Amino acid sequence: MKITRFCWGVELSRAVIYLSIYGQVMSAIGAIGAIAILALPSILGLHQDADPNLLGGLYGGAVFSMLINIGWFIFSHTLIKRNKNNNMEGVKTIIKIGSHIIGSMQAIHFAILLIIGLIFVSFGSSEIVHVKLGGIIITIGG
């Protein structure tokens, strides 16, 4: 497969520059957001009043987000470095790897949403809220 044009007819090397810079900027913004979530309970003084499970979930989500953003930054940096070295085979390999990772993560995410929605509908209380919420989640995940 020969790729010379990409993204609305833009040359591959130029599209890679745009994608890698976008990835670096967005990963930096995401890392700042994760740091803000880590600092939020301390800033708001929630440590003494908040549920420990809520804080654990908040910190766990922030650390997970930080790891994803660090990986995204490294991926984008590797992509731009290979593009600057004019290593088009390496660029194509990185793009394929990234596409597989993104596709796999989306499939896993939507499968989890589908399962959670089915649990809400099947085992939720008789309140209509759980049935509606489960239906919405099933629609998004399925």
Side-chain angles (χ1 to χ4, degrees):
M1 170 172 68
K2 183 173 166 88
I3 301 175
T4 55
R5 298 272 177 202
F6 193 72
C7 295
W8 302 282
V10 177
E11 186 181 338
L12 179 62
S13 63
R14 179 159 288 201
V16 167
I17 291 171
Y18 294 146
L19 289 173
S20 57
I21 290 173
Y22 173 81
Q24 288 178 332
V25 169
M26 293 306 291
S27 65
I29 291 170
I32 291 169
I35 291 169
I37 291 172
L38 282 173
L40 192 62
S42 297
I43 292 170
L44 297 176
L46 296 176
H47 283 290
Q48 54 271 30
D49 298 331
D51 180 22
N53 293 329
L54 176 68
L55 288 175
L58 193 66
Y59 289 141
V63 168
F64 181 72
S65 176
M66 181 64 82
L67 292 174
I68 293 293
N69 284 303
I70 289 171
W72 190 7
F73 188 86
I74 292 169
F75 175 82
S76 297
H77 181 71
T78 304
L79 187 61
I80 202 166
K81 212 163 76 171
R82 288 193 181 183
N83 191 42
K84 282 184 180 178
N85 291 336
N86 209 13
N87 182 359
M88 283 300 130
E89 288 303 315
V91 167
K92 290 176 188 176
T93 303
I94 292 285
I95 289 174
K96 285 179 188 177
I97 290 170
S99 297
H100 285 96
I101 290 171
I102 291 169
S104 300
M105 296 305 266
Q106 285 180 341
I108 290 168
H109 176 255
F110 288 125
I112 290 170
L113 282 177
L114 181 65
I115 292 168
I116 290 172
L118 289 172
I119 290 171
F120 267 132
V121 169
S122 302
F123 301 112
S125 66
S126 60
E127 294 180 25
I128 196 71
V129 173
H130 285 131
V131 175
K132 284 183 180 179
L133 181 63
I136 291 170
I137 294 174
I138 288 172
T139 304
I140 293 170

